[in-house]
Amino acid sequence: VNKLGLVMSDKVNNPSHYTSHHSGVECIELTEHLNFNRGNALKYVWRHQLKNASKEDLQKAAWYIKREIAREEKLDPTEYAQAQRNLESAYDTLYEYYFAYAQCEFIGFVDDIIFGHDSDLLDALKYVNSLIEEIYRNDVR
């Protein structure tokens, strides 16, 4: 049973690929504070890491990042500040975890998705595309 009283083996309400992160942070602790596109991009890359490197999950992440880039081109940049207030605690825990294990690429991706603008989202897209390419290379072997 987790902190919300949900049974850990419940695949609908509490799937292990969202709640089994070694940092103790659940994906939703970050994504619920993001807009739909950013949250889904983070969710799909997060899930990919815990579900045997699904190409489809990574392709979906790339699709959401591209959609967010297009959406941002139409928005006033001052609208971003409010959505970031509730992220600090979960982000700090996740950052400490990845920093301790010197896994900078994924936390860089998380940082780009949560806090990034324009070129940061392009960097996030490059990261997801590199993961997709890696899976394709492994499939060919």
Side-chain angles (χ1 to χ4, degrees):
V1 177
N2 75 358
K3 60 188 168 191
L4 297 176
L6 299 171
V7 177
M8 293 301 285
S9 63
D10 184 339
K11 292 182 181 180
V12 172
N13 295 308
N14 208 11
S16 64
H17 56 271
Y18 292 137
T19 61
S20 61
H21 197 274
H22 299 293
S23 69
V25 174
E26 292 186 29
C27 184
I28 197 167
E29 292 179 72
L30 297 168
T31 60
E32 68 186 351
H33 302 292
L34 301 173
N35 73 25
F36 189 78
N37 294 326
R38 289 174 184 253
N40 275 333
L42 179 56
K43 173 186 75 172
Y44 280 113
V45 174
W46 186 290
R47 181 164 86 174
H48 141 273
Q49 289 189 322
L50 300 171
K51 283 184 66 183
N52 300 321
S54 165
K55 284 184 280 191
E56 184 177 286
D57 284 340
L58 294 171
Q59 290 167 332
K60 287 178 182 177
W63 187 87
Y64 280 110
I65 293 168
K66 290 174 190 174
R67 187 170 178 94
E68 179 64 8
I69 290 168
R71 187 190 73 82
E72 283 189 355
E73 290 174 352
K74 301 173 190 171
L75 291 179
D76 178 352
T78 60
E79 296 178 21
Y80 299 111
Q82 185 174 351
Q84 296 178 11
R85 277 186 271 166
N86 296 326
L87 287 171
E88 291 179 12
S89 178
Y91 175 80
D92 288 347
T93 301
L94 195 67
Y95 181 85
E96 289 173 17
Y97 172 80
Y98 279 102
F99 185 76
Y101 291 98
Q103 295 178 353
C104 299
E105 287 184 358
F106 179 70
I107 198 62
F109 164 78
V110 172
D111 196 59
D112 289 342
I113 289 294
I114 294 174
F115 303 113
H117 300 284
D118 302 331
S119 66
D120 297 319
L121 287 174
L122 291 174
D123 289 342
L125 182 58
K126 287 177 190 173
Y127 174 72
V128 171
N129 285 334
S130 74
L131 293 173
I132 293 168
E133 289 172 15
E134 184 177 322
I135 291 171
Y136 280 124
R137 282 193 302 273
N138 290 336
D139 285 350
V140 172
R141 293 180 189 164

